[in-house]
Amino acid sequence: MLLHKRVLVTGGAGFIGSHLCERLLERGCEVLCVDNFYTSARSNVAHLLGNSRFELVRHDITFPLYVEVDEIYNLACPAAPIHYQRDPVQTTKTSVHGAINMLGLAKRVKAKILQASTSEVYGSPEVHPQPESYWGNVNPCGIRSCYDEGKRCAETLFYDYNRQHGLRVKVARIFNTYGPRMHPNDGRVVSNFIVQALRGEPITIYGDGSQTRSFCFVDDLVEGLMRLMDSRDEFIGPVNMGNPTELTIKELAEGVLDLLDTPSELVFKELPHDDPPRRKPDIALAKRELGWEPGIPLREGLEKTVAYFKELFADV
């Protein structure tokens, strides 16, 4: 392993990216954080600006970037439906043009590159839990397609650059992740439920709450991404990264209410189009190849996330 590696993190000021930047700095890497701040915030990395090994650059990866780096983590793309549906054409461009530009950069400087893909490549799955061998059930014409198909195309580009150019690539399929620095208005269930509960507003559940998800704390996910990057070159993935503990959305809402003294009640609304009824990763491959599995229980992770949002709202 190279010492003092120079690492590029696109989307580095985002929720997951900012935690990854922290961990890379702790390891002793030089970190170049690139972000266009479409859904992220400078405040997520403000505490890193005084570190001499950290550099923040405003840049949109749909345009080429010319830097010298040893590794690239490509995390740039709005990941919450409320954000990626706001400008669906740009969302697809970020996934596809962004992948092309970052792969081109990696090819020029002979860097290893990791793609942050998503469980959304499985669409509304007909196989449960979802193994990496499952090709998915994705609607190419729906309101979520800009994200789902953009990420699927990005994966294709990564594998083809590996086959055609011998590029060292890694592909992680990230399942639902939560923790401090989530955007308070990103529309995801964990942040939605916590923000609504802290404000004493009704907790909004779409559908009857029986749909399931599996929630991975951000620290566990970042550890998985770094292990994947460090893994042998022959292992390129894709590899699922998420928590295989499955629970219903209603159970999650009740768990949040249990942590907070709030008058909030549960209210039920119509389920959005193409919202998958079940989502759970099969992480046998990550366990076998990376020795990785999540270790932070949901309640502990929720406590840390609630504390973050309490502090965030106290500063407003």
Side-chain angles (χ1 to χ4, degrees):
M1 185 186 301
L2 286 173
L3 296 177
H4 308 298
K5 288 181 293 189
R6 183 160 171 78
V7 183
L8 167 63
V9 181
T10 73
F15 159 48
I16 295 173
S18 61
H19 288 275
L20 176 59
C21 287
E22 279 182 340
R23 286 291 304 279
L24 291 168
L25 288 170
E26 289 171 6
R27 178 181 278 191
C29 300
E30 293 183 19
V31 177
L32 174 59
C33 172
V34 168
D35 209 299
N36 69 351
F37 302 106
Y38 179 63
T39 60
S40 57
R42 290 178 183 272
S43 58
N44 287 340
V45 292
H47 62 295
L48 304 178
L49 293 174
N51 190 316
S52 62
R53 289 182 284 105
F54 180 77
E55 184 179 356
L56 176 62
V57 174
R58 183 172 192 140
H59 180 80
D60 187 324
I61 64 164
T62 60
F63 298 94
L65 180 66
Y66 300 98
V67 292
E68 297 293 326
V69 293
D70 302 303
E71 293 179 350
I72 302 168
Y73 288 83
N74 186 36
L75 275 62
C77 189
I82 194 172
H83 290 148
Y84 67 63
Q85 291 169 9
R86 184 185 301 160
D87 190 344
V89 172
Q90 187 62 28
T91 296
T92 304
K93 284 182 176 180
T94 300
S95 288
V96 179
H97 291 184
I100 291 169
N101 287 329
M102 291 304 104
L103 287 163
L105 170 61
K107 182 185 173 188
R108 286 193 299 274
V109 301
K110 296 180 172 54
K112 188 190 303 185
I113 181 168
L114 182 149
Q115 167 68 5
S117 191
T118 172
S119 61
E120 296 294 337
V121 300
Y122 299 121
S124 183
E126 296 175 339
V127 173
H128 191 82
Q130 295 80 57
E132 291 86 352
S133 58
Y134 177 51
W135 290 357
N137 177 39
V138 176
N139 175 5
C141 309
I143 59 173
R144 301 169 72 102
S145 305
C146 59
Y147 185 68
D148 302 2
E149 296 288 32
K151 289 288 191 177
R152 285 164 70 94
C153 184
E155 285 198 14
T156 299
L157 286 162
F158 268 68
Y159 303 133
D160 284 338
Y161 263 79
N162 172 260
R163 286 186 286 255
Q164 186 172 340
H165 302 295
L167 199 65
R168 294 176 299 157
V169 305
K170 308 284 183 178
V171 176
R173 289 179 177 165
I174 299 173
F175 283 67
N176 292 69
T177 303
Y178 72 100
R181 300 187 202 136
M182 293 185 80
H183 195 294
N185 300 314
D186 66 8
R188 301 188 204 186
V189 286
V190 173
S191 51
N192 256 13
F193 291 171
I194 292 174
V195 169
Q196 288 173 335
L198 288 174
R199 291 173 174 167
E201 299 171 352
I203 301 285
T204 306
I205 294 178
Y206 294 95
D208 62 6
S210 63
Q211 66 270 39
T212 66
R213 294 294 185 271
S214 306
F215 297 96
C216 182
F217 191 66
V218 64
D219 290 356
D220 281 332
L221 175 71
V222 167
E223 174 66 24
L225 294 176
M226 293 174 67
R227 289 194 188 194
L228 177 58
M229 180 66 90
D230 293 342
S231 64
R232 57 191 176 87
D233 287 349
E234 296 78 16
F235 181 63
I236 67 175
V239 57
N240 289 336
M241 291 199 170
N243 194 323
T245 303
E246 186 179 13
L247 74 161
T248 68
I249 296 300
K250 188 171 183 290
E251 287 172 335
L252 174 67
E254 291 168 345
V256 170
L257 289 176
D258 187 51
L259 284 175
L260 294 164
D261 181 18
T262 172
S264 298
E265 297 180 350
L266 304 183
V267 297
F268 298 85
K269 296 188 177 182
E270 185 178 354
L271 191 67
H273 189 60
D274 286 345
D275 191 66
R278 302 187 77 183
R279 188 63 64 72
K280 174 183 175 179
D282 179 334
I283 62 168
L285 182 62
K287 286 182 179 180
R288 184 172 68 250
E289 288 287 340
L290 307 176
W292 176 86
E293 62 182 313
I296 298 175
L298 180 65
R299 185 175 181 89
E300 179 183 339
L302 286 177
E303 288 173 348
K304 293 179 179 181
T305 310
V306 166
Y308 165 76
F309 279 109
K310 281 184 175 180
E311 184 177 350
L312 182 68
F313 291 153
D315 294 337
V316 173

